[in-house]
Amino acid sequence: MDRKISGLPMAALLMVVGLAGCGQGSQAVSEQEAAVSAEDLSFLNDNQAWRIERHSRLVQPDGWTSLVGLHWLTLKAHYIGSGATSGMRLAVGPERMGLVQREGGKVWFTPESGVDLRVNEQPLRGRIQLHSDQEAEPTVVVFDQGKGSLSLLQRGPHQALRVRHADAATRQQFSGLDYWPADRRWVLPARFVAHNPARTLQVVDMVGMSNTLANPGRLVFERDGQSYALEAVANADGSLLVMMADGTSGHGSYAAGRYLDVAAPDAQGQTLLDFNRSYNPPCAFSIYATCPLPPAENRLDLRIEAGEKAYAHKPVAGQEV
């Protein structure tokens, strides 16, 4: 069966544009029909380019599919490494990697003597402070000739070590993404309604922690004559992030909900919601991700049959590399 875009079968669109390109378009179809078809094909191409980029980011050596560990710091000091004698045992890396210490509200790392570790492409020889993912320049400790990395997460008052590895089974066995057919009818105009004064949004994440996020306003849109609203989270560049659940959550799309990136509203508060670009949060691909979940305000009584479907995991025993 042909996929349909804006109600037109894909095969028909290709035939229309093909005829126009051969100089027969004026006889076979009207100029208006050819223009509509070309516009639909441009939409398809743009959407496909976005999907390719999305896949590429996920499977980068340091992408979300490379996660192999999430270790919460519960003591003042942890000896870390992949060996059986390590107090905090990592799935990968040197048997004895070093010592992690919490002192005076800071986290420090002292490498084991003789272990090949690097920070900013320079050999790590002595004790350093680990800067978290919430700071301007997070520290990334690299091991295994660049295949593995260790970094610090800050989630509220809690801290954890995140470990990635290019040879992670979840990356090597990544089975790809599945989507609903791209449909321009799911590209909807939205009106940004600012909160005055600006608010914050309390969002719980996958590990049960509450996060306070900047919530400058909500996005109001219509579908099939009904009005809906989504609370938006502010990004540093002025764009917005929406975390949402809908009627497909757990019934075709990822059960915990999906995300949608939204361009900054214009001077009149207008922007677009392209639900074809709804995507799964990182926790859809790894048990080691800490994803904010959709707030209650963003649980829609609407089936959004567009964008990314639920990821079909392959069995990965123990989540090892």
Side-chain angles (χ1 to χ4, degrees), residues 7-207:
L8 296 175
M10 182 62 173
L13 294 180
L14 291 171
M15 181 169 60
V16 165
V17 174
L19 287 172
C22 294
Q24 303 174 33
S26 59
Q27 299 175 8
V29 295
S30 70
E31 291 183 3
Q32 182 179 7
E33 288 173 319
V36 169
S37 299
E39 186 178 354
D40 282 331
L41 286 176
S42 176
F43 165 76
L44 280 174
N45 288 334
D46 288 346
N47 194 265
Q48 183 63 17
W50 177 85
R51 293 181 182 183
I52 291 171
E53 182 183 0
R54 162 84 174 142
H55 182 278
S56 177
R57 289 197 305 270
L58 282 174
V59 298
Q60 288 291 315
D62 61 350
W64 289 115
T65 58
S66 71
L67 296 183
V68 293
L70 181 67
H71 305 273
W72 295 98
L73 303 181
T74 57
L75 306 175
K76 289 185 177 180
H78 295 269
Y79 282 100
I80 65 172
S82 62
T85 60
S86 296
M88 179 177 285
R89 191 171 183 181
L90 310 182
V92 293
E95 288 194 6
R96 295 172 61 87
M97 187 178 291
L99 174 67
V100 175
Q101 296 171 289
R102 294 192 291 169
E103 296 177 358
K106 298 179 180 179
V107 179
W108 303 86
F109 176 65
T110 305
E112 188 76 11
S113 178
V115 175
D116 182 16
L117 304 176
R118 291 179 176 268
V119 173
N120 295 328
E121 300 184 355
Q122 298 299 315
L124 180 57
R125 302 301 187 200
R127 189 182 196 229
I128 61 167
Q129 182 183 347
L130 295 180
H131 297 279
S132 79
D133 62 331
Q134 302 300 311
E135 297 178 69
E137 296 184 12
T139 306
V140 179
V141 178
V142 175
F143 58 91
D144 279 1
Q145 290 79 49
K147 288 187 174 183
S149 69
L150 177 117
S151 57
L152 179 68
L153 300 191
Q154 184 78 46
R155 297 293 180 267
H158 305 285
Q159 296 157 322
L161 299 179
R162 167 171 283 164
V163 187
R164 304 175 188 262
H165 202 281
D167 292 339
T170 44
R171 177 172 180 261
Q172 299 296 330
Q173 300 175 19
F174 184 64
S175 59
L177 301 169
D178 192 18
Y179 294 87
W180 274 278
D183 190 338
R184 290 181 62 195
R185 291 170 295 187
W186 279 109
V187 182
L188 303 175
R191 178 169 53 91
F192 178 72
V193 180
H195 294 315
N196 192 11
R199 304 178 189 172
T200 56
L201 199 60
Q202 291 299 123
V203 178
V204 177
D205 62 27
M206 285 293 287
V207 293

Side-chain angles (χ1 to χ4, degrees), residues 290-311:
T290 63
C291 307
L293 300 172
E297 298 91 330
N298 286 2
R299 299 183 179 276
L300 302 177
D301 185 19
L302 171 68
R303 281 187 61 84
I304 300 178
E305 294 181 337
E308 226 171 87
K309 294 184 177 181
Y311 176 61

Side-chain angles (χ1 to χ4, degrees), residues 234-253:
N235 292 322
D237 63 358
S239 64
L240 303 171
L241 171 67
V242 167
M243 296 168 286
M244 64 184 185
D246 65 274
T248 70
S249 299
H251 304 279
S253 69

